[in-house]
Amino acid sequence: METFIHQVVAGIATGGVYASLALALVMIYQSTHHINFAQGEIAMFATYMAWTLINAGVSYWLAFTCTILLAFALGVLIQRIIIRPVENAPVLNIVVVFIGLLVILNSIAGWVFTYTIKAFPSPFPKEPPFGLHFISSHELGSIGVTLVLLLMLYGFFKFTPLGLAMRAAAQNPDSSRLVGIRVGWMLALGWGLAAAIGSVAGMMIAPVVFLEPNMMSGILLYAFAAALVGGIDSPGGAVLGGFIVGILENILGAYVIGTELKLSVALVLIIVVLTIKPAGLFGKVIVSRV
Amino acid sequence: MKKRQFTLTALCLSLAGFAMSASAQKKYDPGASDTEIKIGQTMPYSGPASAYGTIGKVQAAYFKQLNEQGGVNGRKINFISLDDGYSPPKTVEMVRRLVEQEEVLLMMGTLGTPSNTAIHKYMNTKKVPHMFLATGASKWNDPKNFPWTIGFNPNYNSEGKLYGQHILATKPNAKIAVLVQNDDYGKDYFNGFKEGLGAKAASMIVATASYEVTDPTIDSQIVTLKGSGADTFFNITTPKFAAQAIRKVDEVGWKPTHYLNQVSASVGSVLKPAGLDKAVGLISMLYVKEGSDTRWDNDPTMKDFKALIKKYAPEVSPDDGNATYGYAVAQTMVQVLKQAGDNLTRENIMKQAASIKDFQVPMILPGVLASTSSDDFALFQTIQMVKFDGKNWVDFGKPVTVK
Amino acid sequence: MSSNLPSHEKTIPWIWLVLGLLGACALPFFITNYHVFQVSMVLTYAIALVGLNILIGYSGQISLGHGAFLAIGAYTSAILMDKADMPYWITIPIAAAVCLVVGFLFGLPALRLEGHYLALATFALAVSLPQLLKFKHLEFLTGGVQGIVIMKPEAPWETLFGLKLNSDRWLYFFTLAVTVVMFMIGWNLIRGRVGRALIAIRDQPIAAASMGINTPLYKSLAFGVSAMFTGVAGALSAILVAFVAPDSFTVFLSITLMVGMVVGGVTSLPGALYGALFIQFIPNIADQISKAAPWAIYGVMLILFMYTMPTGIAGLLRLIGQKLRPTHP
């Protein structure tokens, strides 16, 4: 029984990792209606920027803040310079551009920082919370940070005029322009915020999985699945999706099918969920009437 | 007059004879000439195994410096190392390019079990030396069927067997948990381990968990293994996951007797990121000198190595186990080339590689000698078990002979 | 996706095709065996891209996991050659049939999914297949993590019309023949009822359904046919490389296929060939430009291609052809 609880809690911890990246995916989707495959690499690159700062002697929280700002700027720059020329291109062309971006960031990170793993510090205490060994303080803290981000994101989109403008720009760019929304800058802002969220995700993930250029590639698939299971336009759904995926994977691996097939079975189950509820558990079902 | 003619003729004849014998001694196969020796290699510089790319980088630096110092027997080494992204079809393509287009004399240190499996038959059909493979799979030591392939690493199977036998001898009632990477490398170690435990394997191994190289974390596996109540843990992982495992084992408050496979035993690239304090008590095996080990601080080859990478490969860390490994392989290669002298045919290269007699590769631990014979291509016959004391790996018991 | 008529609705310049085929037949005698091998691989990628094109370009669905069908085709061929001692040429149609069925069966539940969800489902297929291939209970068939080593077929004759044949050249001709056959099948499919039905479903699904087109059947069929093409490509590549292993079929392979299709030109049969040339040779070129970060060069080239050639290489060539053709009043 203790192991079972431990597995569930470990699943929540890993799920927190997926949830934080899933939030970045939701952010980019809600502001641009595209799923950015390069999101993981942007987060990884931002984490390396943080690592460089910390290695140069900057304190953790100062580096943390600087990285968020740098990542924001990076996201905006990428949107303005690289994505803008293909904004109105067929969706497949945009996907290829994302893949190009992914490969470029990965390759440059490998060249500049090499592929050897690096330790990344955690701002949370080393001792496990309440002396229990189910979860480390860092993992608990990361989940907390993810939930704070979630609340901020939810509040931003639901209650602020800027958030409304961003949602409008994504859903109906032409009408938005007619009411005076600067659609181009909304998209750039969306990218910047997504990159910033991704950088936080990266800095929370790196202490657990160790920093290296391929750090995010395994996580991206799970984050993608989590975001879709929860509903790609629902930040809360994405976070919940992350926890569900994490727990599901752990339970399947430990009790049902063994670790050799757990990934396959987890994905099959997710797809089954999606065939039953195509918009995800909490997504909005869009009905088009003919 | 006659005496002069006689002396002159004798001189001419002897000169001619000398020249003929000299040119008769110089024999070249494609890739070798009076001025250069072409060596080919494929390495995963990109993709999931890209951390091993350091090996190729260090070897390129080694040969560059060697060329500046005059090369081997007056010939420069033209080292061509291509990226195969750890994908077997790409390896086949790159190796065919090296052999058929670049016409290299031999291939050195190609990395990866699946990559080498893909070209195993090809190299032997083409009769090109397939040397010092950067993998410890047991199938490379088969001179009868694959006379052109010779490995380098002490094979994984033997290492696993060693740990199994050690547990049988020291902790016969141990309950063992195993974390194994789900590929050829992991399976090879695991099979050897089970062989080492013999008939008691099934009863002693109480839990096994596997993971994919593409998995983000192995936390769940560690939780499962701890939950089995095991008091001994065999950790068959590659560096990134080894570091994660060491960290997680400590986090969940599990304190087993922890065996770690040699591939991930580097202090610089695994133990330091994981946390040196968490790695105390780890048991593994060493055969290459570690850059972070203080007992080699005044060792001439270690000093040369550190100076080399500082000058030619500054992004490489001297503590990286892959770096010293690559250096050791390059040194062994140079030894074989020196032995071959001016007879640089592929056949002679293999002959020299199969007749290394008790050679102490400078970067390999003292006492671990390299020896090969025509029916046994395994380079290193002894393995030294080591234990981590928080700062260095310390010798643990006597060197063991493995087959 | 453009709703223009596909380019091949216009008349085919037969003369170019015949010349191209003749050139292709003469090629192996002028280049080294290594290059013959490379060109053979290009042909297999081209077949796979035709398959992907049928699914994405013509039927408007998406797949980020076609590497899985490459794997299924390759393993089918390898298992039949290794375990059942079948001659290599018979494994091709069998691999085609197996993939047709598997693709169709995958297409059925995938009907409920669209866009991103379908992308995830196909992605999941690509990710889970290597795990299945390594599964210990299937090891007796798949060789598990070790993969399967195949005997590379030898040429059946020493010479052909007085020109020397070796294994590489023979396999090249075999691949070329299969490629021509597959392209002809693809051509007929796209021009015929199936192609028109797929385009109708892609562009106006509701109108198509009201016209009596059995949408679910055709969409699943598109998956099946697409998988069949890719499976044939996989089987051929297994014979050429003479080795299959789970590591050969990573997620990156699936992504590379999709990239090749877009760069070559969606909804274009010759685009498959251009895309195949891209994915085979551009990484090598990038490696020569920069040893330090070759994939960064590859990524930059991808992005530049998308900026300058949004309709792919085939689209660009089509545009150039239109500009060069004299305008008729």
Side-chain angles (χ1 to χ4, degrees), chain A residues 106-129:
Chain A
N106 188 295
S107 183
I108 294 184
W111 174 41
V112 175
F113 300 105
T114 79
Y115 288 95
T116 329
I117 59 171
K118 299 183 172 13
F120 192 84
S122 160
F124 301 107
K126 292 226 185 307
E127 307 78 41

Side-chain angles (χ1 to χ4, degrees), chain B residues 46 81 93 96 101 182 212, chain C residues 35 38 134 168 291 295:
Chain B
S46 66
S81 177
E93 186 194 333
R96 289 198 66 166
Q101 193 169 297
N182 190 16
E212 307 291 329
Chain C
H35 287 308
Q38 278 188 316
K134 291 193 264 193
D168 286 309
K291 267 234 107 176
W295 287 102

Side-chain angles (χ1 to χ4, degrees), chain C residues 92-115:
Chain C
I92 308 283
I94 300 182
V98 167
C99 285
L100 180 64
V101 170
V102 172
F104 186 79
L105 290 176
F106 184 80
L108 282 175
L111 288 170
R112 290 267 303 174
L113 303 171
E114 288 210 358

Side-chain angles (χ1 to χ4, degrees), chain C:
Chain C
M1 262 141 305
S2 96
S3 49
N4 296 331
L5 281 177
S7 63
H8 37 264
E9 285 291 299
K10 312 184 182 79
T11 52
I12 321 162
W14 283 108
I15 182 76
W16 291 118
L17 271 181
V18 170
L19 280 179
L21 215 54
L22 280 176
C25 287
L27 191 63
F29 301 105
F30 291 101
I31 57 179
T32 65
N33 285 338
Y34 161 67
H35 287 308
V36 172
F37 168 73
Q38 278 188 316
V39 178
S40 309
M41 290 301 285
V42 168
L43 291 175
T44 64
Y45 286 133
I47 300 176
L49 289 184
V50 170
L52 199 55
N53 221 328
I54 290 178
L55 183 70
I56 300 188
Y58 290 96
S59 104
Q61 298 177 82
I62 186 164
S63 171
L64 288 179
H66 253 53
F69 296 117
L70 270 182
I72 297 177
Y75 265 86
T76 307
S77 183
I79 293 173
L80 288 173
M81 283 172 72
D82 185 58
K83 303 273 186 299
D85 262 333
M86 282 196 189
Y88 61 97
W89 43 273
I90 251 190
T91 64
I92 308 283
I94 300 182
V98 167
C99 285
L100 180 64
V101 170
V102 172
F104 186 79
L105 290 176
F106 184 80
L108 282 175
L111 288 170
R112 290 267 303 174
L113 303 171
E114 288 210 358
H116 304 124
Y117 304 93
L118 185 55
L120 176 68
T122 52
F123 207 43
L125 181 65
V127 168
S128 35
L129 198 70
Q131 271 211 322
L132 276 170
L133 291 171
K134 291 193 264 193
F135 189 46
K136 56 177 176 258
H137 295 301
L138 289 175
E139 232 169 64
F140 68 97
L141 211 58
T142 63
V145 296
Q146 302 235 12
I148 305 176
V149 180
I150 310 172
M151 294 291 311
K152 194 157 168 188
E154 284 301 326
W157 311 295
E158 276 285 315
T159 60
L160 190 68
F161 308 126
L163 296 158
K164 209 159 77 85
L165 263 192
N166 54 39
S167 173
D168 286 309
R169 288 178 184 170
W170 168 250
L171 286 177
Y172 168 80
F173 283 121
F174 179 69
T175 311
L176 186 64
V178 174
T179 310
V180 168
V181 168
M182 295 310 288
F183 264 74
M184 273 172 27
I185 296 178
W187 166 247
N188 277 309
L189 258 160
I190 292 169
R191 264 194 340 160
R193 290 191 64 196
V194 178
R196 289 200 294 273
L198 289 178
I199 295 174
I201 295 172
R202 178 194 78 194
D203 287 341
Q204 299 286 1
I206 300 167
S210 14
M211 295 284 282
I213 298 179
N214 189 344
T215 309
L217 176 68
Y218 275 104
K219 283 178 92 164
S220 302
L221 206 60
F223 243 106
V225 169
S226 168
M228 177 186 86
F229 273 80
T230 316
V232 167
L236 281 171
S237 74
I239 298 171
L240 287 168
V241 174
F243 176 65
V244 289
D247 291 293
S248 308
F249 304 104
T250 60
V251 162
F252 194 65
L253 179 63
S254 297
I255 294 186
T256 305
L257 284 179
M258 211 211 58
V259 163
M261 188 203 70
V262 176
V263 166
V266 186
T267 46
S268 157
L269 223 48
L273 196 56
Y274 307 136
L277 285 166
F278 183 90
I279 56 185
Q280 172 65 37
F281 290 114
I282 295 291
N284 295 351
I285 296 176
D287 202 49
Q288 299 196 321
I289 296 179
S290 158
K291 267 234 107 176
W295 287 102
I297 306 284
Y298 179 79
V300 167
M301 291 183 85
L302 271 184
I303 296 181
L304 286 177
F305 264 76
M306 286 300 100
Y307 287 172
T308 53
M309 295 177 235
T311 43
I313 300 177
L316 184 71
L317 290 175
R318 206 183 309 147
L319 271 173
I320 295 179
Q322 279 175 349
K323 293 246 152 64
L324 290 178
R325 221 170 286 142
T327 47
H328 296 289

Side-chain angles (χ1 to χ4, degrees), chain B residues 6 13 27 30 53 60 82 87 107 137 171 173 180 187-188 205 235 240 256 274 280 283 287 295 313 336 348 375 389:
Chain B
F6 179 79
L13 276 175
K27 290 207 279 211
L82 299 176
S87 167
M107 296 281 295
K171 240 174 133 177
N173 296 318
V180 55
K187 291 255 151 84
D188 222 348
I205 300 179
N235 186 351
K240 170 168 120 163
V280 175
I283 300 173
Y287 67 107
R295 56 182 158 149
V336 169
N348 190 35
D375 53 359
D389 68 357

Side-chain angles (χ1 to χ4, degrees), chain B residues 23-186:
Chain B
S23 63
Q25 275 170 357
K26 277 198 201 165
K27 290 207 279 211
Y28 297 133
D29 263 348
S33 72
D34 280 350
T35 50
E36 81 165 7
I37 301 174
K38 262 192 187 169
I39 299 183
Q41 181 189 72
T42 56
M43 244 312 130
Y45 290 110
S46 66
S50 34
Y52 296 120
T54 312
I55 299 175
K57 286 198 196 134
V58 170
Q59 289 166 340
Y62 183 87
F63 289 128
K64 190 162 172 206
Q65 188 185 65
L66 189 66
N67 288 343
E68 281 167 13
Q69 292 166 349
V72 176
N73 292 335
R75 296 175 182 87
K76 302 247 194 301
I77 309 258
N78 186 352
F79 182 59
I80 309 175
S81 177
L82 299 176
D83 179 21
D84 73 343
Y86 207 71
S87 167
K90 197 78 190 166
T91 316
V92 170
E93 186 194 333
M94 292 294 118
V95 167
R96 289 198 66 166
R97 176 165 145 195
L98 289 167
V99 168
E100 295 173 35
Q101 193 169 297
E102 303 283 348
E103 292 192 314
V104 296
L105 179 65
L106 55 95
M107 296 281 295
M108 175 193 98
T110 37
L111 188 140
T113 308
S115 322
N116 278 300
T117 311
I119 58 171
H120 201 192
K121 212 183 265 178
Y122 173 80
M123 296 296 285
N124 281 274
T125 316
K126 282 277 192 201
K127 299 197 173 34
V128 177
H130 184 203
M131 301 178 68
F132 302 148
L133 278 51
T135 130
S138 13
K139 57 182 156 185
W140 313 126
N141 183 8
D142 189 359
K144 210 158 50 142
N145 296 315
F146 295 100
W148 296 90
T149 304
I150 174 168
F152 188 89
N153 302 25
N155 80 61
Y156 300 147
N157 195 289
S158 306
E159 189 187 334
K161 197 158 39 176
L162 182 65
Y163 299 140
Q165 288 167 339
H166 189 255
I167 296 177
L168 259 187
T170 55
K171 240 174 133 177
N173 296 318
K175 292 205 283 238
I176 309 173
V178 183
L179 175 66
V180 55
Q181 182 161 299
N182 190 16
D183 65 3
D184 214 335
Y185 152 94

